[in-house]
Amino acid sequence: MTISPPDVIRAKLEDSGKRAHFLHVTQDGQVMICRASNSASGEDIMPLPLLFLHLCLQGGGPIRIETNLQTIHGEVAPGSIGVIPPNSIGSGTWPEMTAISIGMSLASVQESFGDDWPEKLRPDMTSRIFRDPLVESTMIDIGYARAGTISDAGLIHAAHMIAHQLLDPAADQTPEEDDVAPLGKTVLTRIDQLLDAGLDRHVTVAEMAMLAGISRYHFSRRFKAAIGQSPLQYALRKKLDHAARMLDRDDQSNILDVAQMVGFANPAHFSRAFKKQFGLTPRSWRSR
């Protein structure tokens, strides 16, 4: 199932009394972001195959969420974050607030984290209202993008970075399996060529698996056995390595141009990912 087009979502928000300030849905209908305001209200939570994150920007107060997957009674304030897992059904009451919301389709989540991703969710991030500086700043970066300036690749990168923060790192440490055969050099070369040609966009695991001629699940396992990283982690590293080389070659290059050439619409998001990888911001890297 894909996410509805922006005009459909906007109409639904207005029908429920919300005002949408910013809304973007990727062309493939896999990821969306919305900045909207609502008055205090109560409503049913309908089952959707989407992982939702909500960040309070302004307003706040008591909140109650009671579904088949979680029960949360707490207080919301600016900076508070809540997660609604896919296929939640129940009810909720919300305070008056302005919030940024990100929705990821199940296909998008499974592509990155496998079919067992629900078991990897951190309980402290699904059972209560929480705070996380990386999630907050990334959502604000994207949620305040000017209309028409955010790219699908930039939103997808941000969504996957956020989703990684929701996962328990220990749950992803699977034991070594002797029966997982690493991908061969020929296939890995073809994957490298695909990623090099698509530095300015989001290359999906499905595209990579198609080159290998195997399912996404088996591709991801065999790729990690060969490289030591997941396909998406490797793809992001290639983008950032390419950006570093561009910054080395041209000390006059515009940071925004470099970011866009490797698929980041938002320079702040690019700088954060770059610093996480290399320990320096793009500007510091260029002037080092």
Side-chain angles (χ1 to χ4, degrees):
M1 177 181 177
T2 58
I3 299 171
S4 301
D7 56 340
V8 175
I9 296 175
R10 193 178 294 274
K12 289 181 178 179
L13 289 172
E14 292 175 354
D15 288 344
S16 63
K18 298 180 176 67
R19 179 188 174 195
H21 308 290
F22 175 77
L23 177 64
H24 182 88
V25 180
T26 58
Q27 288 189 351
D28 60 6
Q30 297 300 315
V31 182
M32 64 156 285
I33 187 164
C34 176
R35 189 175 82 252
S37 298
N38 65 271
S39 57
S41 63
E43 60 186 36
D44 291 334
I45 297 175
M46 304 304 294
L48 293 172
L50 301 173
L51 173 66
F52 276 107
L53 290 92
H54 304 286
L55 166 68
C56 177
L57 296 171
Q58 297 176 342
I63 189 171
R64 176 185 60 82
I65 300 172
E66 294 183 357
T67 74
N68 56 323
L69 298 175
Q70 62 186 161
T71 298
I72 296 177
H73 293 178
E75 290 284 328
V76 171
S80 298
I81 301 168
V83 176
I84 304 294
N87 299 318
S88 298
I89 181 169
S91 63
T93 57
W94 327 100
E96 181 176 352
M97 63 178 175
T98 298
I100 293 175
S101 301
I102 283 184
M104 298 179 66
S105 72
L106 274 181
S108 179
V109 177
Q110 289 169 341
E111 178 182 294
S112 289
F113 311 114
D115 294 337
D116 62 342
W117 68 269
E119 302 169 13
K120 302 175 183 176
L121 285 175
R122 291 171 53 182
D124 63 322
M125 287 189 169
T126 56
S127 60
R128 65 183 179 88
I129 302 300
F130 66 93
R131 289 175 179 266
D132 185 286
L134 177 60
V135 173
E136 179 181 0
S137 58
T138 303
M139 290 182 72
I140 289 175
D141 284 345
I142 301 296
Y144 276 97
R146 296 190 304 276
T149 63
I150 182 175
S151 70
D152 283 4
L155 176 53
I156 291 169
H157 277 309
H160 284 290
M161 179 182 290
I162 290 168
H164 270 288
Q165 288 295 102
L166 302 180
L167 301 181
D168 182 355
D172 199 34
Q173 302 301 313
T174 54
E176 295 284 342
E177 296 185 53
D178 295 334
D179 61 342
V180 178
L183 290 174
K185 290 184 178 180
T186 301
V187 173
L188 292 174
T189 297
R190 292 203 297 267
I191 299 301
D192 270 332
Q193 291 170 343
L194 173 67
L195 294 175
D196 288 339
L199 288 169
D200 61 344
R201 67 180 184 89
H202 174 63
V203 177
T204 67
V205 175
E207 290 178 82
M208 300 184 222
M210 189 177 298
L211 275 182
I214 55 179
S215 70
R216 291 187 307 180
Y217 172 74
H218 286 99
F219 171 78
S220 295
R221 295 173 74 224
R222 294 184 61 185
F223 186 95
K224 189 169 185 179
I227 302 297
Q229 293 179 300
S230 73
L232 290 179
Q233 288 172 332
Y234 182 74
L236 177 60
R237 176 59 190 258
K238 284 187 72 71
K239 288 174 179 288
L240 296 175
D241 284 346
H242 184 70
R245 289 194 295 270
M246 287 192 291
L247 293 170
D248 284 337
R249 288 196 300 265
D250 183 5
D251 60 6
Q252 299 301 317
S253 56
N254 185 290
I255 301 296
L256 176 58
D257 291 340
V258 173
Q260 291 176 338
M261 290 176 69
V262 292
F264 288 81
N266 190 307
H269 176 210
F270 167 66
S271 294
R272 186 170 295 108
F274 192 96
K275 185 175 182 180
K276 184 177 182 180
Q277 183 65 53
F278 298 113
L280 294 171
T281 65
R283 193 174 303 279
S284 298
W285 177 274
R286 186 173 58 185
S287 61
R288 72 192 191 287

